[in-house]
Amino acid sequence: MTLTDYLRASSSALIFTGAGISTGSGIPDFRGPQGVWKTRQPVYYQDFMSSEAARIEHWDYKLEGHDAFRDARPNAVHFAIAQLERAGKLRAVITQNIDGLHRLAGTSTEKLVEIHGTNALVECQSCHWRGDPEPHFESFRRTRRPPLCACGGFLKPATISFGQSLEPRELERAMHAAQEADLVVALGSTLSVHPAASFPLVVAARGAPYVIINRGVTDHDGDRRVRLRLEREVNEIFPPAVAAALE
Protein backbone atom coordinates (compact mmCIF):
# COMPACT_ATOMS: atom_id res chain seq x y z
CA MET A 1 0.00 0.00 0.00
CA THR A 2 1.06 3.59 -0.63
CA LEU A 3 0.96 6.50 1.79
CA THR A 4 -2.20 7.72 0.06
CA ASP A 5 -3.79 4.28 0.48
CA TYR A 6 -3.07 4.26 4.21
CA LEU A 7 -4.43 7.78 4.68
CA ARG A 8 -7.54 7.02 2.63
CA ALA A 9 -8.29 3.86 4.63
CA SER A 10 -7.83 5.54 8.01
CA SER A 11 -10.56 7.27 9.98
CA SER A 12 -8.57 7.98 13.16
CA ALA A 13 -4.95 8.74 12.31
CA LEU A 14 -2.29 9.73 14.81
CA ILE A 15 0.27 12.11 13.30
CA PHE A 16 3.57 12.32 15.17
CA THR A 17 5.74 15.29 14.18
CA GLY A 18 9.32 16.36 14.74
CA ALA A 19 11.56 19.27 13.82
CA GLY A 20 11.95 18.09 10.23
CA ILE A 21 8.48 19.35 9.30
CA SER A 22 9.24 22.92 10.41
CA THR A 23 12.62 23.52 8.80
CA GLY A 24 10.71 24.69 5.72
CA SER A 25 9.19 27.41 7.90
CA GLY A 26 12.62 28.66 8.97
CA ILE A 27 12.74 26.82 12.30
CA PRO A 28 16.11 25.16 13.00
CA ASP A 29 16.40 21.38 13.33
CA PHE A 30 17.66 20.01 16.65
CA ARG A 31 18.95 16.48 16.11
CA GLY A 32 19.41 16.24 12.37
CA PRO A 33 22.79 16.36 10.61
CA GLN A 34 22.90 20.17 10.96
CA GLY A 35 20.90 20.28 14.19
CA VAL A 36 21.16 22.85 16.97
CA TRP A 37 22.47 20.30 19.47
CA LYS A 38 25.46 19.63 17.22
CA THR A 39 26.74 23.12 18.02
CA ARG A 40 25.16 24.13 21.33
CA GLN A 41 24.91 22.50 24.75
CA PRO A 42 21.48 22.66 26.42
CA VAL A 43 20.89 24.15 29.87
CA TYR A 44 19.48 21.54 32.24
CA TYR A 45 16.41 22.40 34.28
CA GLN A 46 18.13 21.83 37.62
CA ASP A 47 20.85 24.29 36.61
CA PHE A 48 18.26 26.83 35.45
CA MET A 49 16.58 26.70 38.85
CA SER A 50 19.79 26.90 40.88
CA SER A 51 22.10 29.20 38.93
CA GLU A 52 21.71 32.80 37.77
CA ALA A 53 24.41 32.18 35.16
CA ALA A 54 22.47 29.20 33.79
CA ARG A 55 19.27 31.26 33.61
CA ILE A 56 21.13 33.95 31.64
CA GLU A 57 22.53 31.30 29.31
CA HIS A 58 19.08 29.77 28.76
CA TRP A 59 17.41 33.10 28.03
CA ASP A 60 20.32 34.03 25.76
CA TYR A 61 19.85 30.80 23.79
CA LYS A 62 16.10 31.39 23.56
CA LEU A 63 16.63 35.00 22.51
CA GLU A 64 18.94 33.81 19.73
CA GLY A 65 16.06 31.99 18.05
CA HIS A 66 13.20 34.20 19.23
CA ASP A 67 12.73 36.22 16.05
CA ALA A 68 12.72 33.08 13.88
CA PHE A 69 10.08 31.41 16.05
CA ARG A 70 7.98 34.58 16.33
CA ASP A 71 7.97 35.25 12.59
CA ALA A 72 7.61 31.64 11.36
CA ARG A 73 4.46 30.63 9.51
CA PRO A 74 3.02 27.17 8.85
CA ASN A 75 3.98 25.36 5.68
CA ALA A 76 2.16 22.85 3.49
CA VAL A 77 2.75 19.97 5.93
CA HIS A 78 1.07 21.79 8.82
CA PHE A 79 -1.87 22.73 6.61
CA ALA A 80 -2.21 19.16 5.29
CA ILE A 81 -2.47 17.85 8.86
CA ALA A 82 -5.17 20.43 9.61
CA GLN A 83 -6.99 19.24 6.48
CA LEU A 84 -7.12 15.72 7.91
CA GLU A 85 -8.83 17.07 11.01
CA ARG A 86 -11.39 19.00 8.99
CA ALA A 87 -12.10 15.81 7.04
CA GLY A 88 -12.78 13.94 10.29
CA LYS A 89 -9.81 11.60 9.84
CA LEU A 90 -7.51 12.81 12.64
CA ARG A 91 -7.37 11.26 16.11
CA ALA A 92 -4.56 13.51 17.34
CA VAL A 93 -1.30 15.26 16.57
CA ILE A 94 1.52 14.53 19.00
CA THR A 95 4.29 17.00 18.31
CA GLN A 96 7.78 17.31 19.71
CA ASN A 97 7.92 20.79 18.21
CA ILE A 98 7.73 23.92 20.33
CA ASP A 99 7.07 26.37 17.48
CA GLY A 100 3.26 26.60 17.72
CA LEU A 101 2.85 26.16 13.95
CA HIS A 102 0.24 23.40 14.22
CA ARG A 103 -2.05 25.82 16.07
CA LEU A 104 -1.45 28.55 13.50
CA ALA A 105 -2.31 26.11 10.70
CA GLY A 106 -5.67 25.32 12.29
CA THR A 107 -5.14 22.15 14.32
CA SER A 108 -7.53 22.41 17.26
CA THR A 109 -6.44 22.44 20.88
CA GLU A 110 -8.51 19.30 21.44
CA LYS A 111 -6.50 17.35 18.87
CA LEU A 112 -3.04 18.77 19.63
CA VAL A 113 -0.59 17.38 22.18
CA GLU A 114 2.49 19.62 22.47
CA ILE A 115 4.49 17.05 24.39
CA HIS A 116 7.55 19.30 24.83
CA GLY A 117 5.65 22.53 25.50
CA THR A 118 5.54 25.74 23.48
CA ASN A 119 7.62 28.85 22.84
CA ALA A 120 4.39 30.83 22.45
CA LEU A 121 4.17 31.36 26.23
CA VAL A 122 6.35 31.95 29.25
CA GLU A 123 5.61 30.17 32.52
CA CYS A 124 6.45 30.93 36.14
CA GLN A 125 8.27 28.02 37.74
CA SER A 126 6.69 28.83 41.12
CA CYS A 127 3.03 29.84 40.65
CA HIS A 128 2.69 28.48 37.06
CA TRP A 129 1.27 31.73 35.67
CA ARG A 130 1.52 31.80 31.88
CA GLY A 131 1.63 34.79 29.57
CA ASP A 132 2.94 36.54 26.47
CA PRO A 133 6.72 36.07 26.10
CA GLU A 134 7.36 39.22 24.04
CA PRO A 135 7.76 41.80 26.85
CA HIS A 136 10.02 39.43 28.77
CA PHE A 137 12.30 38.86 25.79
CA GLU A 138 12.48 42.62 25.29
CA SER A 139 13.31 43.11 28.96
CA PHE A 140 16.08 40.51 28.80
CA ARG A 141 17.41 42.01 25.58
CA ARG A 142 17.74 45.40 27.32
CA THR A 143 18.92 44.38 30.78
CA ARG A 144 20.47 40.91 30.41
CA ARG A 145 18.58 40.00 33.59
CA PRO A 146 16.46 36.82 33.55
CA PRO A 147 12.80 37.86 33.93
CA LEU A 148 10.87 37.25 37.13
CA CYS A 149 7.16 36.69 37.71
CA ALA A 150 5.12 39.13 39.82
CA CYS A 151 5.25 36.46 42.54
CA GLY A 152 9.06 36.50 42.45
CA GLY A 153 9.41 33.13 40.71
CA PHE A 154 11.65 32.47 37.73
CA LEU A 155 10.03 32.91 34.32
CA LYS A 156 10.98 30.46 31.58
CA PRO A 157 9.65 29.88 28.07
CA ALA A 158 6.95 27.22 28.48
CA THR A 159 9.02 24.46 26.91
CA ILE A 160 10.30 21.30 28.55
CA SER A 161 13.99 21.64 29.33
CA PHE A 162 16.46 18.77 29.63
CA GLY A 163 15.95 17.21 33.04
CA GLN A 164 12.46 18.68 33.44
CA SER A 165 9.45 16.38 33.88
CA LEU A 166 6.86 16.24 31.13
CA GLU A 167 3.32 17.34 31.93
CA PRO A 168 1.38 14.27 33.21
CA ARG A 169 -1.85 15.45 31.56
CA GLU A 170 -0.18 15.72 28.15
CA LEU A 171 1.36 12.26 28.54
CA GLU A 172 -2.08 10.88 29.40
CA ARG A 173 -3.68 12.54 26.38
CA ALA A 174 -0.94 11.18 24.11
CA MET A 175 -1.38 7.65 25.46
CA HIS A 176 -5.16 7.73 25.00
CA ALA A 177 -4.70 8.81 21.38
CA ALA A 178 -2.12 6.08 20.75
CA GLN A 179 -4.47 3.46 22.17
CA GLU A 180 -7.31 4.52 19.87
CA ALA A 181 -5.64 5.41 16.54
CA ASP A 182 -6.00 3.15 13.49
CA LEU A 183 -2.87 4.53 11.76
CA VAL A 184 0.28 6.32 12.87
CA VAL A 185 2.43 8.47 10.59
CA ALA A 186 5.72 9.86 11.95
CA LEU A 187 6.90 12.96 10.10
CA GLY A 188 10.32 14.60 10.28
CA SER A 189 11.53 12.97 13.49
CA THR A 190 14.59 10.89 14.32
CA LEU A 191 12.36 9.11 16.86
CA SER A 192 15.20 9.18 19.37
CA VAL A 193 13.71 11.16 22.26
CA HIS A 194 11.73 9.27 24.87
CA PRO A 195 9.10 8.95 26.11
CA ALA A 196 7.72 10.87 23.10
CA ALA A 197 9.07 8.40 20.52
CA SER A 198 7.33 5.50 22.26
CA PHE A 199 3.84 6.63 21.26
CA PRO A 200 4.05 5.54 17.60
CA LEU A 201 5.14 2.10 18.82
CA VAL A 202 2.08 1.88 21.07
CA VAL A 203 -0.08 2.28 17.97
CA ALA A 204 1.99 -0.20 15.96
CA ALA A 205 1.93 -2.77 18.78
CA ARG A 206 -1.85 -2.88 18.43
CA GLY A 207 -1.44 -3.96 14.80
CA ALA A 208 -2.22 -0.60 13.20
CA PRO A 209 -0.10 0.49 10.22
CA TYR A 210 3.01 2.53 11.02
CA VAL A 211 4.46 4.88 8.38
CA ILE A 212 7.70 6.86 8.79
CA ILE A 213 8.70 9.77 6.56
CA ASN A 214 12.06 11.34 7.34
CA ARG A 215 15.21 12.50 5.60
CA GLY A 216 17.90 10.61 7.50
CA VAL A 217 17.96 7.61 9.79
CA THR A 218 15.52 7.11 12.65
CA ASP A 219 15.68 4.90 15.71
CA HIS A 220 12.68 2.93 14.43
CA ASP A 221 14.23 2.02 11.08
CA GLY A 222 14.27 -1.74 10.74
CA ASP A 223 11.44 -2.29 13.23
CA ARG A 224 9.31 -5.01 11.66
CA ARG A 225 6.12 -3.17 12.66
CA VAL A 226 6.90 -0.30 10.27
CA ARG A 227 4.76 -0.90 7.18
CA LEU A 228 6.16 1.91 5.02
CA ARG A 229 9.44 3.85 5.30
CA LEU A 230 9.94 6.84 2.99
CA GLU A 231 13.37 8.50 2.86
CA ARG A 232 12.25 11.87 1.53
CA GLU A 233 11.58 15.45 2.56
CA VAL A 234 8.19 15.45 4.28
CA ASN A 235 6.93 18.49 2.39
CA GLU A 236 7.55 16.77 -0.95
CA ILE A 237 5.25 13.82 -0.37
CA PHE A 238 2.92 14.25 2.60
CA PRO A 239 0.76 17.19 1.39
CA PRO A 240 0.13 15.63 -2.07
CA ALA A 241 -0.72 12.29 -0.43
CA VAL A 242 -3.25 13.96 1.87
CA ALA A 243 -4.81 15.81 -1.05
CA ALA A 244 -5.12 12.57 -3.02
CA ALA A 245 -6.56 10.68 -0.03
CA LEU A 246 -9.26 13.32 0.45
CA GLU A 247 -10.35 13.44 -3.21
Side-chain angles (χ1 to χ4, degrees), residues 27 59-72 119 132-135 137-138 141:
I27 302 296
W59 273 93
D60 196 45
Y61 152 62
K62 287 293 188 178
L63 180 62
E64 188 177 287
H66 175 61
D67 290 350
F69 277 98
R70 182 194 60 201
D71 298 339
N119 261 339
D132 180 6
E134 197 64 34
F137 275 109
E138 287 306 312
R141 197 192 305 266

Side-chain angles (χ1 to χ4, degrees), residues 12-14 91 174-183 202-203 206:
S12 186
L14 173 62
R91 174 57 184 85
M175 182 58 73
H176 284 165
Q179 290 170 338
E180 295 173 357
D182 63 5
L183 167 70
V202 172
V203 183
R206 295 173 36 247

Side-chain angles (χ1 to χ4, degrees), residues 68-88:
F69 277 98
R70 182 194 60 201
D71 298 339
R73 293 296 176 265
N75 61 50
V77 178
H78 301 99
F79 288 120
I81 294 168
Q83 280 184 295
L84 288 175
E85 179 178 357
R86 289 195 296 272

Side-chain angles (χ1 to χ4, degrees), residues 9 11 24 41 57-58 69 72 74 107 110-111 127 135 139 168 170 178 201 224 235:
S11 61
Q41 292 299 310
E57 184 178 351
H58 184 73
F69 277 98
T107 298
E110 293 74 22
K111 297 290 187 181
C127 73
S139 172
E170 295 305 288
L201 295 178
R224 59 183 176 79
N235 60 3

Side-chain angles (χ1 to χ4, degrees), residues 23-238:
T23 53
S25 294
I27 302 296
D29 193 0
F30 285 86
R31 287 180 174 78
Q34 307 300 320
V36 170
W37 299 139
K38 300 291 185 183
T39 59
R40 184 145 195 161
Q41 292 299 310
V43 173
Y44 279 75
Y45 184 68
Q46 299 91 323
D47 296 330
F48 180 92
M49 295 300 294
S50 63
S51 164
E52 176 83 358
R55 289 191 289 277
I56 291 172
E57 184 178 351
H58 184 73
W59 273 93
D60 196 45
Y61 152 62
K62 287 293 188 178
L63 180 62
E64 188 177 287
H66 175 61
D67 290 350
F69 277 98
R70 182 194 60 201
D71 298 339
R73 293 296 176 265
N75 61 50
V77 178
H78 301 99
F79 288 120
I81 294 168
Q83 280 184 295
L84 288 175
E85 179 178 357
R86 289 195 296 272
K89 295 173 73 68
L90 183 70
R91 174 57 184 85
V93 177
I94 300 175
T95 186
Q96 299 171 282
N97 298 342
I98 57 176
D99 51 41
L101 295 181
H102 285 297
R103 290 177 185 269
L104 290 178
T107 298
S108 68
T109 302
E110 293 74 22
K111 297 290 187 181
L112 181 61
V113 181
E114 293 174 311
I115 202 76
H116 292 157
T118 177
N119 261 339
L121 296 167
V122 291
E123 181 176 30
C124 176
Q125 302 308 294
S126 297
C127 73
H128 302 293
W129 171 86
R130 285 186 163 202
D132 180 6
E134 197 64 34
H136 303 291
F137 275 109
E138 287 306 312
S139 172
F140 179 74
R141 197 192 305 266
R142 290 194 317 271
T143 68
R144 304 292 298 171
R145 294 175 184 169
L148 297 176
C149 179
C151 79
F154 303 136
L155 288 178
K156 186 174 84 69
T159 57
I160 301 297
S161 297
F162 283 83
Q164 184 177 4
S165 298
L166 300 183
E167 290 288 339
R169 181 175 176 274
E170 295 305 288
L171 288 171
E172 183 178 355
R173 292 179 64 224
M175 182 58 73
H176 284 165
Q179 290 170 338
E180 295 173 357
D182 63 5
L183 167 70
V184 58
V185 183
L187 303 175
S189 174
T190 60
L191 298 163
S192 60
V193 179
H194 292 272
S198 66
F199 292 115
L201 295 178
V202 172
V203 183
R206 295 173 36 247
Y210 183 11
V211 177
I212 298 175
I213 308 171
N214 191 60
R215 180 178 57 83
V217 299
T218 82
D219 280 13
H220 294 180
D221 290 351
D223 191 303
R224 59 183 176 79
R225 293 167 292 189
V226 176
R227 303 277 186 91
L228 182 63
R229 172 65 168 97
L230 299 172
E231 175 76 25
R232 297 274 298 280
E233 293 286 355
V234 178
N235 60 3
E236 293 177 359
I237 54 176
F238 187 73

